[in-house]
């Protein structure tokens, strides 16, 4: 169950999920020319980590409970992967849009991150 004292973050959730989607697409795309197995592994890892690990009170269903800072690190991993892979794989204009998405995501995540640090 999601905690009552958790900050409302509907808009942040939308941006966070969009960033995750970009990371899930761009990272394998960027790695595929070097190593297709590594590209598949990267996609699996990026999808599996936030599915398996969550901070109690942050998600309704927690498979493996972790402290708040781990959840923050998982979001940072996705943001960094999305930006780095976009710059490596896609046109500069698209990569710039992804970079703006990442900055907005981080700014919108700050209240949630402050809450997660206290968990």
């Amino acid at each position: 169950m999601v905690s009552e004292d958790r900050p409302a973050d509907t808009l942040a959730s939308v941006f966070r999920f969009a960033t995750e989607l970009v990371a899930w697409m761009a990272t394998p795309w960027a790695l595929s020319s070097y190593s297709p197995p590594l590209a598949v592994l990267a996609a699996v890892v990026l999808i599996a980590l936030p599915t398996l690990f969550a901070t109690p009170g942050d998600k309704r269903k927690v498979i493996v409970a972790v402290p708040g800072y781990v959840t923050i690190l998982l979001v940072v991993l996705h943001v960094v992967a999305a930006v780095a892979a976009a710059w490596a794989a896609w046109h500069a204009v698209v990569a710039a849009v992804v970079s703006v998405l990442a900055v907005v995501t981080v700014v919108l995540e700050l209240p949630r991150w402050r809450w997660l640090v206290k968990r």
Side-chain angles (χ1 to χ4, degrees), residues 2-3 5-7 9 16 53-59 62 66-76 108-119:
V2 177
S3 175
D5 63 336
R6 182 173 171 259
D9 67 345
R16 183 173 60 250
F53 301 104
T55 303
D58 188 44
K59 287 187 178 179
V62 175
V66 295
Y69 73 88
V70 174
T71 299
I72 295 167
L73 289 175
L74 290 173
V75 174
V76 170
L108 291 174
E109 280 288 291
L110 291 176
R112 177 175 172 246
W113 289 359
R114 282 193 277 286
W115 177 81
L116 284 166
V117 167
K118 296 176 186 176
R119 300 300 295 168

Side-chain angles (χ1 to χ4, degrees), residues 23-24 27-28 31-32 35-49:
W24 297 344
T27 303
L31 294 172
S32 64
S35 171
L38 184 59
V40 171
L41 179 63
V44 168
V45 167
L46 286 171
I47 293 169
L49 287 177

Side-chain angles (χ1 to χ4, degrees), residues 20-113:
E20 287 175 345
L21 284 176
V22 172
W24 297 344
M25 290 184 299
T27 303
W29 194 325
L31 294 172
S32 64
S33 61
Y34 299 105
S35 171
L38 184 59
V40 171
L41 179 63
V44 168
V45 167
L46 286 171
I47 293 169
L49 287 177
T51 301
L52 292 174
F53 301 104
T55 303
D58 188 44
K59 287 187 178 179
R60 285 186 177 90
K61 186 176 181 182
V62 175
I63 298 171
V64 177
V66 295
Y69 73 88
V70 174
T71 299
I72 295 167
L73 289 175
L74 290 173
V75 174
V76 170
L77 171 68
H78 280 84
V79 169
V80 170
V83 172
W87 281 102
W90 296 339
H91 189 276
V93 173
V94 177
V97 170
V98 170
S99 298
V100 170
L101 171 69
V103 169
V104 171
T105 298
V106 169
V107 169
L108 291 174
E109 280 288 291
L110 291 176
R112 177 175 172 246
W113 289 359

